[in-house]
Amino acid sequence: MKKILEIKNVSKKFALRKDNFFSARKFFTAVDNVSLSLKENQTLGIVGESGSGKTTLAKLILDIEKPDSGEILIDGKDITRAKGKELKELRRQTQVIFQDPYSSLNPRMNVENIILEPLQINKIIKQEQIKILHSLLNSVGLPQNCLKKYPHEFSGGQRQRIAIARALALKPKIIIADEPISSLDVSIQAQILNLLKQIKDEMRVSYIFISHDLSAVCHISDKIAVMNKAAVVELAPAEELFKNPLHPYTQLLLNSVCDADPENKNDDIQIIQNDSNLSPSCAFAERCPLYDQKHCLSENNLSEVKKEHFVKCALSSQKKALYGDRNEN
Ligand SMILES: Nc1ncnc2c1ncn2[C@@H]1O[C@H](COP(=O)(O)OP(=O)(O)OP(=O)(O)O)[C@@H](O)[C@H]1O
Ligand SMILES: [Mg+2]
């Protein structure tokens, strides 16, 4: 299958507010040398705790932010350097669905105008617009008589269906769903997940699915990237990542989700403070239960330790037994 998206060594820093006029400007790295790819009709899940850089990466792909370095190729063309007509075309190829459909939909526009707006901006002929509108309503399971209604007249799940219809209007090749089900009732979450899956097969789009909810990510994704402190620390096919997580951070993320005993269940990840004076090369070292001075001080890169299973950890790259393989338990 053809690669529809290639992210190559992309980094993004944000300038922090100066303490005072004379102090030097400090920067915060939100995305650090990230490389990922996505094939046609594939879903890449991105997980990681709050602040790990997931949304920033999405904004770079959507050209809402420009990276400091690296390339983002959409269908082989670099959106970070594109201009004019080419840039407009590349932006059209990638659409987004946000977490909160209420704040992402204009409350003063009715459903018809919300879905038609991207078609009007792109000057699609009127007759075609109406055809697309009705077929989109069908695809997302909204009744044809809802066109004159406003967002506040719908439930959360229905609003997310409107947002999905709008995102699909221009037949994008990639849809980025940034926490698309987090604000919905649990009973509705599965419906929206199934709708996204069904649309993927019908329209042959590719997804980037960002979520804190690891089980939802696993349900929909072909492969999953785990982000910690701006970097991808593990990348593997979804099933493989769940069965055999190699990075200590992924293991902590999974343990906090999979631990059946409520007494042991942490909402957040356990924080362990290791010796931070040693300035380790691994960003997770300070919190890593397997911290080892000898290995964690050396440089480590995302490397392939098994077929299609990449990990950024000096210990797991050496295939040392970490927590023990989940398969063996
Ligand atoms: N425009 C900005 N200016 C300064 N810092 C920013 C900006 N945008 C993001 N950041 C910082 O970059 C880091 C990564 O933010 P980002 O929103 O990408 O995280 P996230 O993984 O999506 O988190 P969450 O799961 O909470 O949505 C955060 O520490 C955030 O404060
Ligand atoms: Mg985010």
Side-chain angles (χ1 to χ4, degrees):
M1 258 188 294
K2 197 170 96 177
K3 277 187 186 160
I4 192 72
L5 173 72
E6 282 182 273
I7 302 168
K8 293 185 179 171
N9 307 104
V10 164
S11 294
K12 176 72 184 172
K13 287 190 178 83
F14 290 112
L16 295 175
R17 204 178 287 170
K18 284 186 179 189
D19 296 334
N20 60 59
F21 183 77
F22 298 104
S23 63
R25 167 83 64 210
K26 287 189 188 138
F27 290 89
F28 176 83
T29 305
V31 173
D32 187 13
N33 198 22
V34 167
S35 297
L36 289 168
S37 67
L38 179 65
K39 288 184 187 157
E40 269 180 340
N41 203 218
Q42 199 183 39
T43 299
L44 167 67
I46 302 183
V47 294
E49 66 196 324
S50 192
S52 52
K54 306 180 297 295
T55 298
T56 307
L57 185 62
K59 286 181 179 169
L60 295 170
I61 301 166
L62 289 160
D63 199 44
I64 296 171
E65 298 276 1
K66 286 280 181 201
D68 301 321
S69 56
E71 291 176 2
I72 298 174
L73 308 179
I74 295 171
D75 215 0
K77 295 180 197 103
D78 189 355
I79 193 165
T80 68
R81 287 171 183 83
K83 290 197 173 68
K85 222 174 152 186
E86 188 183 46
L87 178 62
K88 201 174 157 200
E89 183 52 35
L90 289 177
R91 280 191 180 146
R92 188 179 149 160
Q93 298 297 354
T94 313
Q95 299 293 321
V96 64
I97 304 163
F98 288 110
Q99 172 173 1
D100 179 2
Y102 198 61
S103 57
S104 65
L105 299 176
N106 186 339
R108 280 183 283 276
M109 280 169 111
N110 63 22
V111 173
E112 182 171 359
N113 291 329
I114 288 172
I115 301 176
L116 285 183
E117 191 183 38
L119 297 167
Q120 286 159 351
I121 293 171
N122 280 274
K123 302 195 170 62
I124 309 288
I125 55 166
K126 197 102 200 171
Q127 247 178 339
E128 188 68 7
Q129 284 183 21
I130 302 302
K131 258 210 259 170
I132 296 173
L133 177 67
H134 290 291
S135 106
L136 282 171
L137 287 184
N138 261 340
S139 304
V140 301
L142 283 169
Q144 300 286 339
N145 64 4
C146 73
L147 288 172
K148 300 295 170 202
K149 291 187 179 172
Y150 289 80
H152 72 267
E153 297 177 69
F154 294 90
S155 67
Q158 284 174 320
R159 280 200 290 266
Q160 201 56 299
R161 287 175 194 267
I162 301 169
I164 294 169
R166 181 183 158 99
L168 288 170
L170 292 168
K171 294 206 175 96
K173 294 196 171 134
I174 304 165
I175 290 195
I176 300 182
D178 191 352
E179 304 273 2
I181 55 169
S182 328
S183 67
L184 305 177
D185 279 2
V186 178
S187 57
I188 308 295
Q189 288 183 350
Q191 288 177 16
I192 297 296
L193 264 189
N194 288 336
L195 173 65
L196 287 171
K197 263 188 142 175
Q198 180 196 322
I199 284 169
K200 182 187 145 191
D201 298 334
E202 276 173 21
M203 306 203 176
R204 298 198 60 78
V205 283
S206 307
Y207 288 128
I208 293 187
F209 189 91
I210 299 172
S211 180
H212 285 106
D213 182 344
L214 276 153
S215 49
V217 171
C218 189
H219 181 70
I220 197 164
S221 305
D222 298 298
K223 59 178 180 176
I224 299 177
V226 181
M227 284 187 78
N228 174 244
K229 287 201 178 167
V232 173
V233 295
E234 189 157 2
L235 172 69
E239 211 186 321
E240 160 73 6
L241 189 93
F242 260 70
K243 280 192 186 149
N244 191 22
L246 291 176
H247 197 285
Y249 177 69
T250 313
Q251 293 175 347
L252 284 173
L253 270 184
L254 285 173
N255 284 345
S256 65
V257 173
C258 303
D259 198 335
D261 182 353
E263 289 283 303
N264 297 333
K265 198 166 167 110
N266 279 332
D267 277 344
D268 211 339
I269 296 161
Q270 187 190 1
I271 300 196
I272 298 165
Q273 286 298 332
N274 292 316
D275 188 351
S276 53
N277 296 327
L278 289 165
S279 60
S281 109
C282 171
F284 188 58
E286 274 177 37
R287 298 162 59 191
C288 184
L290 301 170
Y291 175 69
D292 160 343
Q293 277 190 26
K294 187 170 148 229
H295 294 102
C296 303
L297 290 172
S298 59
E299 191 68 35
N300 66 73
N301 294 314
L302 198 65
S303 53
E304 193 168 14
V305 290
K306 268 168 113 181
K307 194 169 179 291
E308 291 180 52
H309 193 154
F310 298 81
V311 62
K312 188 179 194 286
C313 171
L315 290 163
S316 34
S317 305
Q318 290 176 27
K319 296 185 186 168
K320 288 207 168 186
L322 297 173
Y323 273 67
D325 195 319
R326 287 171 102 75
N327 290 329
E328 287 165 16
N329 291 334

